[in-house]
Amino acid sequence: MANSKTWIKISFLSCLVFVALAETGEADKVPEAPKEDDGVLVLTDDNFKGVIEKEKFVLVEFYAPWCGHCKALAPAYAEAAKQLKKSENPVPLAKVDCTVEKDVCNTHQVQGYPTLKWFKDGEASDYDGPRDHDGIVSYVLERSDPNYKPPPEAVLTLTKDNFDEITQKEELMLVEFYAPWCGHCKKIGPELEKAAKVLQKREKPIAIGKVDATVETDLATKFEVTGYPTMLIMRNGKKYEYKGPRNEPEISEYLINQEGEATKLKATMKEVKNFIKEPNNNDPVILAVADNTEDPIYKLFVEANNDVRDDYSFGHTFAKEAKKYFGLKKSAILLIQPDHLRSKHEAKQHVYQDESGSPSEVQKFYKKNYIPLVGFFRTDNEKRFEKKPMVLVFYDVNFSPTYRSITQFWRSKVVEVAKEFPDIQFAVANEEDSEGRLKDLGLTESGEDVNVGAYDAAGRRYALVDEEFSEDTLTEFVEEFLKGNVKPVIKSQRAAPKAKPGKVQVVTGNTFDQIVMDESKEVFIEFYAPWCGHCKAIEGYINKLAAKYKGEKDIIIAKMDGTLNEGPSQYAFEGFPTIYYSLPGKKNDPIKLDGKRDMDALVEFIETNSKVLKNKKTEL
């Protein structure tokens, strides 16, 4: 009986202790097992520690639902999770929504999305692997499975010992020169591997290789590698510039289009005539007229075209009648303009016949003759109009058969003026396709059927205003433009007053030449944007510079709002802030600040480049 009472007391006391512990929160909590989302474990502030401590290896993605890069990664990450779950030694992939689970994200100092971390025995390290399915799987297995043997890379590793042997036997090959530490190289590496796998499965495979330029320094020097990654096309050991994309599947598509010769055979004279007289073609064609594939001109033609195959339309013919048709006595490369773009003042065809010439000389021949006396300026070919000065005539340009006569009516007037000014590039442009240029010239509301703009070598714009278009008005405009009597059209705010001593001088587009290009002054000029955070951060430093050099009458500290004003092309800015130091005698070659922008760095920039300050020190 005594024993029975004792047990009753013990049981009663145990219940009281359990209730007390439960009420004070000291009873053990069993964390909820993590849920899965498409094969990926969903971790929270509550279950994160338990999962990390339980699993020897875990890869965790810290993400935000609105993050574009996170969304792009999600499919590959999920597929990798499913594959790794089925492996001999399964490794979980997990994710944490940092917009909800803020404690764990703060603990692991997550500052950007997606952030991936590799956990081994609970210890975290930054994930530095690829972000595609195969790359993630390989990364995890290499670190978790001692028996794992990665599949051989599809991209060939090239060294000084095998480079020539491999590249010389390949008709077409892509080679990447890289550095192991290069971020861009790490990004493109998986893309090249994917492309290589696709291309090696083709009936006629295309190889991709890579060279570690930090190890194979002789190869890097031989191929003039100065930055990473450097991509080259190799054709039987000869190098050509790679002008293609850096993502798959675009890489493999580009390389497939690079196969074979850039030129197509025109076997009969009918094919030749159709090629050179294509009615809808607004660009010249380039035709090799040769005897056979062993003809030196043909071989030179083929080699020259490899590097520019995307830039021109090439054809070749071995037809016996071709030389007579084109008035040739020997083989030649011909550049032929469309009939509607060739005037009576121009040769019917441009001819190259130097068998001993080089590919670069042939390419110069193409470039020199590509634009006719009056070209057709379009958005898809504007880079070809490099020659300056240039005069553009804007109207309703349309060379289709229905509208060709009216288009040629205006163009013929431009031709008659152009022949008198051989040092100027002339072209016509469709006004609807050139709204941006017309706006920059201030001609969108001109009310004229035909508008004219001119561009000088410095990138400045000039407009023909308040004049009805004719040969005479165009001629007069060009003459005055060449004499410097036409004022440029400049994007500008209203001119700011002259700054007081010790204050920053505000420059506008219209006052840029007066202030910055003043040959009697040294000018420190900052191009800024009102919304730019970095600009706001250094605003105080710029004000302090003006105060510091208050006593230097020949040094001006200035700034210009780059969103509302513009200056000469020598003072180009693609981002904000951009800072230059402009010296007398070198106004067209300003010194750009590349580096830190704190107060000490800005002072050093001025004192290193200022002739005024150096002369004062010399005098002392």
Side-chain angles (χ1 to χ4, degrees):
M1 187 73 176
N3 287 337
S4 177
K5 288 181 178 179
T6 300
W7 280 111
I8 290 172
K9 289 180 180 179
I10 291 173
S11 298
F12 178 72
L13 289 171
S14 296
C15 290
L16 290 176
V17 170
F18 179 80
V19 170
L21 287 172
E23 289 179 349
T24 58
E26 294 177 13
D28 289 340
K29 288 183 178 179
V30 179
E32 184 181 345
K35 297 177 181 178
E36 279 194 14
D37 179 16
D38 206 11
V40 180
L41 296 181
V42 178
L43 302 186
T44 66
D45 288 340
D46 292 331
N47 65 23
F48 185 90
K49 183 177 180 182
V51 172
I52 297 301
E53 290 179 349
K54 174 188 173 185
E55 302 289 348
K56 184 172 181 62
F57 302 104
V58 190
L59 179 61
V60 180
E61 175 203 9
F62 298 87
Y63 75 99
W66 45 259
C67 161
H69 292 296
C70 305
K71 292 176 183 177
L73 175 65
Y77 196 69
E79 289 303 312
K82 293 170 189 174
Q83 182 174 338
L84 289 165
K85 193 175 181 181
K86 298 176 183 176
S87 64
E88 187 176 345
N89 297 297
V91 176
L93 266 58
K95 63 182 180 180
V96 179
D97 181 347
C98 287
T99 65
V100 177
E101 314 300 338
K102 296 183 179 180
D103 289 345
V104 69
C105 293
N106 289 335
T107 299
H108 290 281
Q109 299 179 330
V110 176
Q111 297 180 337
Y113 308 117
T115 292
L116 280 78
K117 289 186 179 288
W118 173 248
F119 288 84
K120 178 182 177 182
D121 296 324
E123 294 295 323
S125 60
D126 291 334
Y127 175 86
D128 59 356
R131 298 198 175 191
D132 62 288
H133 167 268
D134 292 342
I136 294 171
V137 170
S138 296
Y139 183 96
V140 171
L141 292 178
E142 283 175 12
R143 287 157 178 76
S144 63
D145 186 349
N147 300 316
Y148 174 70
K149 293 182 180 179
E153 288 186 328
V155 174
L156 304 175
T157 298
L158 303 178
T159 67
K160 65 179 186 300
D161 298 323
N162 66 4
F163 188 93
D164 290 342
E165 178 187 355
I166 292 175
T167 58
Q168 286 175 8
K169 73 179 182 181
E170 297 292 339
E171 292 182 13
L172 173 66
M173 183 175 184
L174 174 61
V175 175
E176 175 206 19
F177 286 82
Y178 73 97
W181 45 260
C182 161
H184 292 297
C185 305
K186 291 177 182 178
K187 185 176 181 180
I188 198 175
E191 302 299 310
L192 291 175
E193 182 66 18
K194 285 188 281 187
K197 288 178 178 177
V198 170
L199 294 169
Q200 68 181 190
K201 294 176 183 177
R202 299 179 74 240
E203 184 176 347
K204 188 178 180 182
I206 299 174
I208 297 180
K210 63 180 179 180
V211 178
D212 183 343
T214 66
V215 175
E216 305 297 336
T217 53
D218 289 343
L219 283 176
T221 300
K222 178 181 178 181
F223 288 97
E224 301 175 325
V225 175
T226 56
Y228 308 113
T230 292
M231 314 278 283
L232 298 176
I233 292 284
M234 303 296 295
R235 298 179 189 274
N236 297 118
K238 292 184 177 180
K239 73 167 186 174
Y240 300 90
E241 182 183 357
Y242 176 77
K243 300 177 181 178
R246 298 196 173 192
N247 295 298
E248 183 57 16
E250 289 84 357
I251 294 173
S252 57
E253 291 172 356
Y254 180 85
L255 289 174
I256 290 169
N257 289 331
Q258 296 292 307
E259 280 188 306
E261 295 175 350
T263 176
K264 293 182 179 179
L265 175 65
K266 310 302 174 184
T268 67
M269 284 307 299
K270 182 178 180 180
E271 290 181 53
V272 170
K273 292 174 183 177
N274 288 339
F275 178 59
I276 65 175
K277 293 183 180 294
E278 165 59 45
N280 296 319
N281 188 21
N282 289 314
D283 295 303
V285 297
I286 301 173
L287 178 74
V289 179
D291 295 327
N292 50 52
T293 56
E294 295 303 312
D295 191 318
I297 278 290
Y298 176 75
K299 287 185 174 181
L300 177 60
F301 179 65
V302 169
E303 186 175 356
N305 298 348
N306 279 329
D307 219 15
V308 292
R309 63 171 56 214
D310 300 326
D311 301 337
Y312 305 99
S313 179
F314 297 110
H316 65 277
T317 184
F318 304 131
K320 293 181 180 180
E321 315 96 298
K323 287 181 183 176
K324 182 179 179 181
Y325 179 82
F326 289 107
L328 303 171
K329 292 184 178 180
K330 63 177 184 177
S331 299
I333 300 170
L334 307 178
L335 187 146
I336 305 170
Q337 294 287 351
D339 286 343
H340 61 276
L341 291 180
R342 186 180 69 247
S343 72
K344 62 184 180 181
H345 307 294
E346 298 168 83
K348 186 175 181 181
Q349 60 205 25
H350 298 281
V351 183
Y352 184 95
Q353 293 181 304
D354 185 1
E355 295 178 356
S356 63
S358 66
S360 63
E361 288 171 344
V362 175
Q363 291 170 9
K364 288 178 182 176
F365 164 75
Y366 298 160
K367 191 172 183 179
K368 177 184 176 182
N369 298 296
Y370 190 84
I371 305 296
L373 181 62
V374 176
F376 181 16
F377 186 96
R378 312 184 304 273
T379 54
D380 65 337
N381 72 352
E382 63 179 277
K383 289 183 179 179
R384 297 189 185 280
F385 289 80
E386 298 176 343
K387 182 180 174 182
K388 300 291 187 297
M390 178 174 69
V391 172
L392 284 184
V393 179
F394 304 90
Y395 61 100
D396 187 14
V397 177
N398 189 333
F399 286 106
S400 64
T402 304
Y403 302 100
R404 184 168 293 184
S405 61
I406 186 62
T407 293
Q408 293 291 42
F409 171 79
W410 293 114
R411 183 175 177 273
S412 64
K413 296 180 182 297
V414 182
V415 167
E416 292 307 308
V417 176
K419 69 182 176 63
E420 303 300 329
F421 298 95
D423 294 330
I424 295 181
Q425 174 67 70
F426 284 80
V428 296
N430 183 278
E431 60 186 3
E432 287 189 7
D433 297 335
S434 306
E435 287 184 5
R437 285 185 172 272
L438 286 169
K439 182 179 179 181
D440 289 342
L441 288 163
L443 294 173
T444 50
E445 305 295 333
S446 72
E448 298 291 340
D449 291 332
V450 181
N451 288 290
V452 180
Y455 302 82
D456 65 16
R460 289 182 289 250
R461 307 180 298 275
Y462 304 81
L464 173 63
V465 295
D466 300 329
E467 293 284 352
E468 187 174 341
F469 177 83
S470 68
E471 286 181 38
D472 290 339
T473 56
L474 179 59
T475 300
E476 183 181 357
F477 171 71
V478 174
E479 288 175 343
E480 292 301 305
F481 164 64
L482 291 176
K483 292 176 183 177
N485 294 334
V486 181
K487 290 185 178 181
V489 179
I490 298 173
K491 181 168 71 172
S492 179
Q493 293 174 285
R494 182 178 297 177
K498 183 178 180 180
K500 294 179 180 179
K503 300 296 182 181
V504 177
Q505 176 65 57
V506 175
V507 176
T508 65
N510 287 331
T511 62
F512 193 95
D513 282 355
Q514 175 188 343
I515 297 172
V516 181
M517 306 301 280
D518 183 350
E519 288 290 351
S520 68
K521 306 293 182 184
E522 294 184 359
V523 182
F524 172 101
I525 176 79
E526 176 211 8
F527 297 93
Y528 73 96
W531 43 259
C532 164
H534 294 297
C535 304
K536 293 176 182 177
I538 68 169
E539 184 177 4
Y541 301 149
I542 305 297
N543 292 334
K544 288 180 181 179
L545 288 177
K548 179 178 176 67
Y549 298 107
K550 177 180 179 180
E552 303 294 343
K553 64 181 181 62
D554 292 327
I555 296 178
I556 295 174
I557 307 299
K559 66 179 181 179
M560 187 171 93
D561 183 345
T563 67
L564 297 175
N565 303 275
E566 63 183 352
S569 59
Q570 304 94 308
Y571 293 78
F573 49 90
E574 295 180 354
F576 300 109
T578 295
I579 295 172
Y580 288 98
Y581 201 76
S582 179
L583 291 168
K586 295 183 178 180
K587 292 294 180 177
N588 289 321
D589 188 23
I591 303 162
K592 186 177 181 181
L593 172 62
D594 291 313
K596 293 181 179 179
R597 293 187 290 255
D598 56 38
M599 186 63 186
D600 290 341
L602 295 176
V603 170
E604 182 182 0
F605 177 62
I606 292 175
E607 309 234 343
T608 300
N609 294 295
S610 172
K611 303 294 184 186
V612 170
L613 298 177
K614 286 180 181 178
N615 290 339
K616 277 197 169 185
K617 289 181 181 178
T618 302
E619 291 172 6
L620 292 174

